[in-house]
Each structure stands twice: as structure tokens, then as C-alpha cells.
Amino acid sequence: MNDLPDYEKAQLLLEKNEIFVSPAEAHGVISGLLACGLTIDDKEYLGLLSDVFNDGESFSNDLKQFFGTIYKQVVASFNDDEFQFDLFLPSDDETLIDQANGLVSWVAGFMLGFGLKQKDYGKLSSDVKEVITDFSEITRLDTTFEETEEDSQALHEVIEYVRVSALLCFAELGKEQNTQSTKKHFISLKS
């Protein structure tokens, strides 16, 4: 279910439009917004991304299309019954350092997106609070990995933990919000 654009092409598109974030961070922000309960059909995400990445200026059409593709892919993968959600990171062909830096960028983006919409941390479950604490630690990860099988395995274990943790946040906060908005919409149609 990986309908994401090529990572390097995405990086070039962002740079061409003077958006100085990595594709991993952009994907992380969108994932964080959705995981904490941004309504799935909400168009608000483009405005939030514009505020965060572009000083509130409107995006070019190619960037709107790029962010729309990522948004739709995250929505689809978060709602996939087989948990096919993946992080948008540099490919396995890249160095472990590049992959680790991508992971740190993704997690930092997730934390930013999550924080933009989630204002009441007191109401979060202990599991989600633990994820946020762990993600905060991951943003300080030492990314100087050696090109060994052991380091590769360690990095992929952290990536898998982050992937599953993002799904957990969505399952607790994102799905609940979307079910409620669907119910409200259904009730208003019946009235």
C-alpha cells in the first residue's frame, strides 16, 4: 500500500519550491495531525502545513498535489485493516546515517503535527503519553550508525516501533474523532 512518490524526487520538489524540510518530516507532520484526531476529510491540513513550512504563504499547485498525495496515502494506510502504514523515509539503498536522519526528521515532524492539534495532554492514555515520551527521546537519537548488520537491525527495530506507535496513537485518538464526526454528519443528515 505504498503509494508514496519517489523520496529523492519529493526532496527535489520541496527544495525547488524553497520548502526546507525533508519528505520524511512532511510525512511525519501529516501523520501526527491525523494520529491526534484531525478530521480525515478536513482541508485544514494545507493551511496548517503552509503555516509551518511556508510562513503562511500559499503552496504552488505541484506542492498542493504532493501534500494531497501524502495526505490521502496516510489516511488510507492508517485505516487499513492490515496495518500497512509505513514511514516515508530514505530508501534502504541509502546509508544507515541517511535513514536514521530521515527517521529523526519523521519523528520530529510527527511530534510537531501531533502538537498542533492535541492541546490536552492530560487526557491522553498512559500508552500515548509513553509514545510521546519515547518519540521525544528518538528525536535526540545519535544517528552515527556503522554500516553493519547489527546497526541495520537496530535501526529497523526503532523504525518498526515508531510505525506501530503511530498506529496506536491513531487507533486511540484519530479513529475516535473520525467516528464521532461521521456520527454527527449522519445525525445531521437524518434531521
Side-chain angles (χ1 to χ4, degrees):
M1 154 146 315
N2 194 352
D3 300 331
L4 290 168
D6 177 75
Y7 193 88
E8 288 179 26
K9 287 180 183 170
Q11 185 69 57
L12 291 172
L13 174 68
L14 290 166
E15 289 172 7
K16 180 184 99 177
N17 286 278
E18 298 183 3
I19 305 296
F20 299 108
V21 297
S22 69
E25 186 174 355
H27 187 270
V29 170
I30 290 170
S31 299
L33 285 167
L34 288 163
C36 77
L38 182 73
T39 307
I40 282 187
D41 60 353
D42 201 328
K43 300 293 180 231
E44 179 184 3
Y45 79 96
L46 273 177
L48 290 168
L49 293 179
S50 170
D51 289 346
V52 172
F53 296 150
N54 204 27
D55 296 325
E57 297 293 319
S58 224
F59 290 125
S60 65
N61 285 336
D62 54 348
L63 275 180
K64 285 179 185 174
Q65 184 177 357
F66 168 72
F67 290 129
T69 298
I70 290 179
Y71 187 84
K72 287 176 192 144
Q73 190 274 337
V74 172
V75 167
S77 58
F78 267 160
N79 284 296
D80 183 78
D81 292 336
E82 295 180 21
F83 309 109
Q84 294 298 312
F85 174 74
D86 283 314
L87 311 183
F88 191 26
L89 300 174
S91 76
D92 290 342
D93 298 339
E94 299 296 327
T95 66
L96 288 181
I97 291 173
D98 287 343
Q99 292 175 55
N101 284 327
L103 174 64
V104 168
S105 291
W106 191 95
V107 171
F110 183 91
M111 297 279 289
L112 174 61
F114 195 88
L116 285 171
K117 291 302 288 180
Q118 185 54 250
K119 304 299 183 206
D120 193 353
Y121 284 88
K123 290 185 177 180
L124 299 178
S125 73
S126 59
D127 288 340
V128 172
K129 286 179 183 174
E130 184 178 338
V131 165
I132 298 305
T133 300
D134 291 347
F135 278 18
S136 182
E137 289 296 315
I138 291 169
T139 62
R140 295 188 286 278
L141 182 74
D142 178 5
T143 59
T144 50
F145 283 84
E146 299 294 321
E147 293 295 322
T148 64
E149 187 59 40
E150 187 177 299
D151 277 5
S152 176
Q153 183 65 34
L155 178 62
H156 285 87
E157 285 174 13
V158 176
I159 290 170
E160 181 61 13
Y161 171 77
V162 169
R163 186 187 81 77
V164 170
S165 296
L167 283 166
L168 177 132
C169 291
F170 179 75
E172 182 173 314
L173 301 166
K175 280 194 178 199
E176 177 183 310
Q177 287 278 12
N178 293 318
T179 303
Q180 286 174 358
S181 74
T182 303
K183 283 181 190 171
K184 285 180 192 169
H185 182 68
F186 182 71
I187 289 169
S188 69
L189 288 176
K190 285 177 71 178
S191 302

